[in-house]
Amino acid sequence: MPSARQVAGSIGEAVCAARLLANGYVVLTPSTPEPYDLVAVGMRFHKIQVKARSNARSHGRSSRYNFTIERCGRVYQPSECDFVVLVALDADICWVLPIKKALISSVAINPNRPGKYDKYVEAWHLLK
């Protein structure tokens, strides 16, 4: 039986794939283990790593999503993927971060407060 984390990851990949398809991309999944989850095909190929969370964690008076952007204990590198898509499953929000903006081990986002990741909300245009 898959763990809750695996289920959330699979749902996050499906949400990301649906958004990509809605934006005109062809979506491919690797048939072998790779450091990315999906490939978006448009004018170019983009390797995408998806990170999903099913609920925000409460921190005092606010709630935020904590995404870990690591593979085997180290941050993803530009040679491994082009974008990291962070998916808040319960809020139905995706943040599309170029990997060069995601070279950190974790990201905390409060969708109810302005923050530095606001410009990446549903930013599928960055793949063009």
Side-chain angles (χ1 to χ4, degrees):
M1 180 188 282
S3 69
R5 180 180 233 168
Q6 290 169 322
V7 170
S10 294
I11 295 170
E13 289 173 24
V15 168
C16 180
R19 294 288 212 303
L20 288 165
L21 289 167
N23 281 280
Y25 293 93
V26 172
V27 179
L28 307 174
T29 56
S31 58
T32 59
E34 299 292 345
Y36 52 88
D37 296 313
L38 304 170
V39 176
V41 183
M43 296 296 280
R44 299 185 312 178
F45 285 73
H46 297 289
K47 298 177 287 186
I48 298 173
Q49 175 59 43
V50 180
K51 297 295 181 180
R53 293 290 170 263
S54 59
N55 56 10
R57 296 235 160 92
S58 180
H59 294 276
R61 292 182 288 174
S62 66
S63 294
R64 66 181 182 208
Y65 294 92
N66 293 311
F67 297 96
T68 301
I69 309 177
E70 292 182 342
R71 179 175 189 243
C72 302
R74 62 177 185 74
V75 297
Y76 286 90
Q77 297 299 308
S79 61
E80 296 174 306
C81 61
D82 303 308
F83 290 88
V84 174
V85 175
L86 309 175
V87 182
L89 297 172
D90 58 334
D92 196 30
I93 302 171
C94 295
W95 292 267
V96 182
L97 279 70
I99 188 61
K100 292 178 181 173
K101 300 293 183 184
L103 293 174
I104 53 178
S105 62
S106 66
V107 171
I109 300 175
N110 181 340
N112 299 315
R113 290 192 177 175
K116 66 181 179 179
Y117 296 105
D118 291 352
K119 62 186 170 188
Y120 300 111
V121 172
E122 305 295 341
W124 305 104
H125 64 278
L126 295 176
L127 279 73
K128 295 190 189 237

